[in-house]
Amino acid sequence: MSHELPKTYDPSVIEERWAEYWVREHLFDVATPDGTADDAKKFTMLLPPPNVTGRLHMGHMLNQTEMDILTRWHRMRGETSVWIPGTDHAGIATQMMVERQLASEGKNRRELGREPFIERVWQWKELYGGAILDQMRRLGASVDWSREYFTMDDRLSVAVKECFVRLWEQGLIYRGAYIVNWDPAIQTAVSDLEVEHEERAGKIYHIRYPLADGTGSIVVATTRPETMLGDVAVAVNPEDERYKALIGKLVRLPLSGVNGGPDREIPILADDWAKPEFGTGAVKVTPAHDPNDFAIGQRHGLPNLSILNDTAHVDLPGSHYDGLDRYAARERMIEDLRELDLLVDIKDHTLSIGLSQRTGVVIEPRLSQQWFIKIQPLADKAIEAVEQGHIRFTPDQYRKTYEEWMKNIHDWCISRQLWWGHRIPAWHCIKCAEINVARETPTACAKCGSTELTQETDVLDTWFSSGLLPFTVFGWPGTEGSNGLTPDLTAFYPTELLVTGFDILFFWVARMVMLGCHFMLDVPMPDGSKRELKDAVPFREVYIHALVRDADRQKMSKTKGNVIDPIEVVTKYGTDAVRFTLASMASPGTDIAFSESRTEGYRAFANKIWNAARFLFMQADRAKEAGYTFSMQASGTVPDLPANTPLETRWIFGRLSAVSAEVDRALTDYRFDEAAAAVYQFFWGEFCDWYLELIKLRLEFGEGHEKNDVTALTLASLVASFEAALRLLSPFMPFLTEELWHALYENNAPAKSIALTRYPQPTDFAADEASVAAMTTLQELITTIRALRKELGVPEKEAAPINLHGDNRIVALVDANRDMLSRMARVSSVEFAEATLSGSNARATASFDVAVIYERQIDVVAERERLSKELAKLEKGLMAAEKQLANETFMSKAPAHIVEGLRKQSAETKMLYDKAKAALDALPPA
RNA sequence: GGGCGGAUAGCUCAGCUGGUUAGAGCGCCUGCCUUACAAGCAGGAUGUCGGGGGUUCGAAUCCCUCUCUGCCCA
């Protein structure tokens, strides 16, 4: 069979075919181990579930590339590797999406009603929710699609409810009226984490509050004058001399009268919160609309007066500000205060405001009834798990970030006033107000027996359900009456690794640790023993990756318009090239500035691999025509290497061994960049540049070239080393390697996919260090000759003789490999010299001198300059070395091997220096 | 305000548990369309390792400080 590969690699024709094949053939689906005679190591990982509304961005692609490389690598090392995909129902984001859709039809969700609205969201999800997973398939992510989940699936919903009920029963969930971050756009509470702080230019207003007894006034400073309608006090610092006399007096709160009535009277009180240096030193206290003021109110037993409704409009019947938006109210009130001559001053002030992460509107701190998790007991375990090393962070610095956050954690507001999400399983008794939390809808109040129950309307924070995923995806809590230990949980919990970005370190990672430790401690070990913290953790390792930025290091954002769509780049350069780009730039702790020039380079790399395959197939065809019989089916077998095995063949297997070790080490340390560099350098710089060029010497067919063992061995070795290289590359470039691997086996491969074969291991190949060392010397010699030839102006095609001086080892090596010199450096003949060589046509290295015999005069000026420069560099090195060696403290304190190394280096430098000096002196005068 | 990170070749980044003459890719310069590959081959140039100070026999690497810069938390 002849192989007709196009001259240039075109990823578009093969990638979609393989992506579809991998899914269709269920290659990466993993059945639950039955527990019998299964001692294979396991590698389990959860895909951070993208929002069901999401579109793939570069961050996803980086994340998935890293996870896929690791999963493929572990899988090829024979481990049971499960990578579980799914999507998150993303409460706010999804509800917004559908509300927007409704708005475009002139409707809103309230008209529609709760149940029909939720129905509508499900329809939306069915239609569009799969988009991001389809994009994942296109990237070749080797996930187990049979285990795909959605966070609102029935089985997960049951688990979420179970967790909520248990936490309630354990007294770890409470409900109460607290100041929370309120998003007036979508009208729900959000957690602290969902608020983004931004510095903005604003104003600070100084407002005069008259004393009720008419003896004067006090001027308060505020950035939010509109909330003064909700003021219940004025606070001053107890140490502030200016105001000491006023403490305990009442002020008349301007603008606060309703229905034409008088203004309210509120007290002046002393509280440390009032900072004398801030503003006027007197602050208004508005407990219902500011978290700090709420705390003051608690301390002093003040009432909470809410004056803004859930859309942040003034809600104060009878007031002439009633119904105004918060900012409109502010303007109107400032005008009114000015008219009343109570506005003392307006100053510029930079303030930090909270913005809703989802909607972008300014958060309104608002007093409302919410559900909270008492987080401290959970956080304690989560801190312990990390401090005791049961969970390891890479890079390690994130451990500190995590611990810092955990130690300063606040109770978690888990209720959301949304419709889309897991509805809180609580029923309020209309008669006695008892809260009935239950797994099944109760028929009567547990306290008073009333049947008048209404279900809580709030749903749970999306992160509550995703925080449970590490065990709920494995079927927890299992069947009724079970201990929660399902077969999947037995086999796969804890997962091995979590790969994610630091942006969800607190949102998700921290919550998983807390909830995982909390719930799993109650699940026994497979052998029935009690589970300890080290086995209750949701994952043993966390790898935090960088942010992908644009080529100018700017954060990608829609508003800047610099978002790079991975699917676009993938279409342009091929998935493999983009994956390789991300992998090679993924060095820990540094953001990735994604630039297409890098990707272009890796597309060239893919093309290089493609063409190496073309070369191989071409040689195979020629060999067959020449009567060689060998089977491509033996590609996976490294041939025995007899005594007459050519050096380059011993060398390439030696290198394969070393590179396999290097890749293993790099991936163990999550050094994707080093792993990628190692395979790149090996394949291009060694396999193609040296090995393929050298074996052309052995692959001569036709007239005058009899069939021989060396050629046969070379063919077998070529195929075997290439096949191994493909396996080595396949986690990084799964599409290209899959295509070529099947082609290599002539579509009769020993496995359904290269991904199901063995990853090259150092011991799979003879390390043969002597051959590697010999080859390194020859490479140095060849490179030196090439450089000399170029300098002397020897035409590329013209062969030239050389003189060589070196020790016996070099002489023997060169003598045995004259054919290499001839092919790689156009050497016509070699003459060995007894004495050192110098002169303008010679170069000296530490191990040999070589001269190229060529007539043409060299450029004396250029050569003088080159030699002078080199001489200066050598002299500098030599001086430094000699100075060190003359330094007694160095000689006495430095370790022996350092001193010895320096001595050797110094001697070599001296030799090179002398040679360069001689060469310079030998140059004719300018 | 508290904390973390970064500053190394024109660009993007490695190297940093101190140790021999600081690397890679891209870009740049020169010569080659050598039947695997011009998305290629061969050769070449390029850095007072942000400034200053200190520790040490020895500092890109450790410490202090300054400047610039990014991020997280409040």
Side-chain angles (χ1 to χ4, degrees), chain A residues 214-335:
Chain A
T215 59
S217 64
I218 185 165
V219 177
V220 301
T222 178
T223 58
R224 300 212 51 202
E226 68 278 13
T227 63
M228 65 186 279
L229 298 173
D231 285 1
V232 296
V234 169
V236 296
N237 193 286
E239 304 303 317
D240 195 332
E241 295 297 335
R242 293 173 293 178
Y243 302 120
K244 267 190 173 166
L246 298 179
I247 293 168
K249 292 199 169 194
L250 294 175
V251 296
R252 202 168 282 136
L253 182 64
L255 314 181
S256 65
V258 293
N259 296 321
D263 287 341
R264 281 193 292 120
E265 291 186 359
I266 57 175
I268 297 173
L269 50 83
D271 194 284
D272 287 337
W273 167 253
K275 299 286 172 242
E277 65 280 5
F278 178 81
T280 61
V283 295
K284 57 201 252 339
V285 181
T286 322
H289 297 288
D290 183 284
N292 296 309
D293 292 6
F294 183 75
I296 298 177
Q298 296 287 89
R299 282 198 286 276
H300 298 271
L302 302 171
N304 300 313
L305 195 59
S306 289
I307 55 107
L308 290 173
N309 67 11
D310 56 11
T311 55
H313 286 70
V314 174
D315 182 15
L316 197 61
S319 165
H320 79 283
Y321 305 104
D322 187 43
L324 287 180
D325 169 78
R326 51 186 164 168
Y327 298 116
R330 176 184 300 179
E331 275 178 41
R332 176 88 60 89
M333 291 166 70
I334 291 302
E335 281 318 303

Side-chain angles (χ1 to χ4, degrees), chain A residues 844-847 849 878 906-916:
Chain A
T845 72
S847 45
D849 296 353
L878 192 59
S906 167
E908 278 173 9
T909 309
K910 177 83 172 78
M911 195 175 73
L912 290 176
Y913 176 84
D914 290 345
K915 286 176 180 177

